[in-house]
Amino acid sequence: MQYQSQAVAKPYFVAAIALFAGQILFGLIMGLQYVIGDFLFPAIPFNVARMVHTNLLIVWLLFGFMGAAYYLVPEEAETELHSPRLARLMFWVFLIAGALTILGYLLIPYGRLAELTGNALLPTMGREFLEQPTITKLGIVVVALAFLYNISMTVLRGRKTSISLVLLTGLWGLAIFFLFSFYNPANLVLDKYYWWWVVHLWVEGVWELILGALLAFVLIKITGVDREVIEKWLYVIIAMTLITGVVGTGHHYYWIGTPGYWQWWGSVFSAMEPIPFFMMTVFAFNMVNRRRREHPNKAATLWALGTGVMAFLGAGVWGFLHTLAPVNYYTHGSQITAAHGHMAFYGAYVMVVLTIISYAMPLLRGRQANSNRSQIMEMWSFWLMTVSMVFITLFLTAAGILQVWLQRVSATPLPFMQVQDQIALFYWLRELTGVVFLVGLVVYVASFFVGEGRETAIEGSR
């Protein structure tokens, strides 16, 4: 660790992993509710389990992004963080606000929660992924502004690199597009139109800038390849991401009441969205092949390579499968969408956060890399989680294909709930592979505690 203030990243990483575990537990609960409808009802209804599962995903990734920025920016800017105290204060504000929000979901009926939190004054609740009480959204804005002020001031007074500027652009974009969560028009078409400015332009726009910056930073550190080479790749990838991802928003506008030209614009530009992810995969493998040194943190290298591959498969290939308007007409909102969502989030964002944690945590603990035994465990966790996610995606894809056929294509289409009974086998298989994923996560966490005291970790300055 080059700068003492980088230490503020550590609690962010710890919180991210803890919330990640919570997300997986609620995913397993929800998975069982697909096949055992009254499981844990009425304590945890399906809609609440789903809300907690998806909200925890967003919150822990934000913790991961912030921790990554607090670690990366001082090193890139070659100066201490502007205000470590502010970073620590915002950590507790964000954590407490997030915990209270999740407890609110679990303990108070959603309508009552809206009343208690003053939603009537500024209605923003009740929309998928943006269910947070208005007061929580305002808290997120405060935390985000304090975070961006801290990071921006650090960059402004230090060295400006392409990586820190791309990261900063992504983080500012994340905050700006979140402001559309406060716009809640009565017209349903307008509501969905701008709702995607938060959801789509986050995950298929500005978040990809954050992904590219984090991956480039880790690759520079573990390969020793010239910064100029990696930055040229980064520029091209980011340009392709923005060109395809922004107009690609159109693939969400096919069936919500917007003009028909969106079916052409959405189809054409969405079909090109796999390109930057393919470039990212080639980029990662190319840099590792051209490495100038053998970095002792093999686990971080594996996560970095895996990020490129899984992001391409999940966001690129599985996104392309149902992005063209004539195909999406049948597959929209089916389990094929769920298959794409699971692998895309895992490949693009979960893995890149685990990559930076895998790289930075040993350094934050005063070593260049964890012990060999610890890294072997971590690599086992990589394969357990990644392979199980592949099977989760395949089972959901099979369920989706059967669902589309029985419900939307067949000459004698079945009602939704009857179709759910027909595809229950795939839900059971998804649940089993979900348990394996949880085991992989437990192994990942355990790997950070293996070898301490009995096996010497690989020491180094950085």
Side-chain angles (χ1 to χ4, degrees):
M1 190 169 68
Q2 287 179 281
Y3 300 92
Q4 290 301 313
S5 58
Q6 288 178 288
V8 301
K10 193 173 179 180
Y12 283 88
F13 290 152
V14 172
I17 295 301
L19 295 172
F20 182 24
Q23 185 220 340
I24 301 307
L25 285 174
F26 276 90
L28 289 173
I29 290 171
M30 192 172 64
L32 269 182
Q33 289 174 337
Y34 266 95
V35 284
I36 305 174
D38 57 356
F39 179 69
L40 291 183
F41 184 85
I44 305 178
F46 177 84
N47 64 310
V48 172
R50 186 177 189 276
M51 193 162 55
V52 174
H53 178 65
T54 55
N55 278 225
L56 279 175
L57 168 67
I58 296 168
V59 172
W60 88 257
L61 286 177
L62 292 180
F63 267 107
F65 291 161
M66 287 193 280
Y70 283 133
Y71 183 85
L72 179 157
V73 168
E75 209 161 295
E76 286 291 294
E78 295 182 341
T79 182
E80 294 285 358
L81 187 65
H82 177 68
S83 175
R85 180 177 298 179
L86 180 63
R88 283 190 283 270
L89 174 65
M90 287 302 109
F91 167 78
W92 288 110
V93 170
F94 195 26
L95 186 65
I96 293 170
L100 289 176
T101 301
I102 297 301
L103 289 174
Y105 291 158
L106 293 171
L107 301 176
I108 303 173
Y110 192 70
R112 180 64 178 148
L113 182 64
E115 291 176 11
L116 291 174
T117 55
N119 186 63
L121 298 175
L122 179 59
T124 67
M125 296 175 67
R127 291 176 293 170
E128 190 180 13
F129 306 134
L130 301 178
E131 298 94 345
Q132 308 85 31
T134 302
I135 193 169
T136 301
K137 291 191 179 79
L138 291 171
I140 291 173
V141 170
V142 171
V143 171
L145 287 176
F147 164 73
L148 288 169
Y149 164 77
N150 212 353
I151 292 296
S152 300
M153 291 301 292
T154 308
V155 172
L156 286 174
R157 79 177 184 192
R159 182 181 65 152
K160 284 85 176 166
T161 67
S162 300
I163 289 175
S164 59
L165 293 177
V166 168
L167 177 66
L168 204 56
T169 305
L171 293 170
W172 272 101
L174 185 157
I176 290 169
F177 284 115
F178 182 70
L179 295 179
F180 286 96
S181 68
F182 291 93
Y183 181 54
N184 189 10
N187 184 300
L188 191 58
V189 174
L190 281 177
D191 177 34
K192 295 300 288 184
Y193 187 92
Y194 288 106
W195 179 80
W196 285 114
W197 283 35
V198 184
V199 178
H200 172 90
L201 292 179
W202 264 19
V203 299
E204 294 178 56
V206 293
W207 282 28
E208 289 185 38
L209 306 192
I210 300 170
L211 161 65
L214 297 185
L215 195 58
F217 173 77
V218 173
L219 287 172
I220 285 177
K221 299 298 178 182
I222 62 178
T223 64
V225 173
D226 287 342
R227 175 179 290 271
E228 291 74 17
V229 175
I230 288 183
E231 287 179 343
K232 285 176 184 173
W233 274 89
L234 183 60
Y235 282 133
V236 176
I237 290 171
I238 294 310
M240 285 303 298
T241 295
L242 293 177
I243 291 169
T244 60
V246 173
V247 185
T249 311
H251 68 242
H252 298 295
Y253 292 165
Y254 294 158
W255 324 117
I256 64 169
T258 51
Y261 59 76
W262 277 114
Q263 295 185 22
W264 283 101
W265 283 98
S267 295
V268 171
F269 281 86
S270 297
M272 294 192 292
E273 282 194 68
I275 296 174
F277 287 106
F278 179 71
M279 294 173 68
M280 206 172 292
T281 306
V282 175
F283 163 60
F285 277 87
N286 193 19
M287 294 306 107
V288 171
N289 285 335
R290 296 168 64 174
R291 62 187 179 276
R292 292 182 172 181
R293 61 169 175 256
E294 291 292 335
H295 197 281
N297 195 335
K298 305 297 182 189
T301 308
L302 181 62
W303 282 111
L305 291 174
T307 298
V309 174
M310 294 299 288
F312 171 64
L313 290 175
V317 176
W318 254 261
F320 178 77
L321 286 178
H322 67 143
T323 200
L324 301 177
V327 177
N328 191 270
Y329 178 77
Y330 293 98
T331 62
H332 188 86
S334 69
Q335 290 298 330
I336 294 175
T337 305
H340 161 57
H342 277 75
M343 189 184 273
F345 265 102
Y346 177 72
Y349 302 118
V350 171
M351 292 186 80
V352 80
V353 170
L354 296 183
T355 298
I356 189 76
I357 291 176
S358 180
Y359 170 75
M361 276 299 267
L363 295 165
L364 289 168
R365 301 168 76 192
R367 61 191 63 163
Q368 194 172 16
N370 286 330
S371 65
N372 289 332
R373 188 178 166 203
S374 171
Q375 289 195 55
I376 290 171
M377 276 190 70
E378 189 177 341
M379 287 190 271
W380 267 101
S381 76
F382 169 91
W383 288 112
L384 283 169
M385 285 194 277
T386 303
V387 172
S388 58
M389 181 53 70
V390 168
F391 277 98
I392 286 172
T393 304
L394 291 175
F395 292 141
L396 286 175
T397 303
I401 292 170
L402 188 55
Q403 178 188 11
V404 169
W405 175 258
L406 294 175
Q407 192 178 322
R408 301 174 181 178
V409 178
S410 168
T412 55
L414 298 176
F416 176 82
M417 291 307 294
Q418 285 189 30
V419 173
Q420 295 302 301
D421 290 336
Q422 297 293 322
I423 59 180
L425 173 63
F426 295 109
Y427 289 149
W428 278 112
L429 293 171
R430 185 266 303 268
E431 187 71 5
L432 290 174
T433 45
V435 172
V436 176
F437 188 95
L438 177 62
V439 171
L441 178 56
V442 171
V443 173
Y444 177 81
V445 174
S447 71
F448 286 94
F449 302 97
V450 168
E452 286 186 301
R454 292 188 295 114
E455 187 177 350
T456 305
I458 301 165
E459 301 292 341
S461 58
R462 62 191 174 95

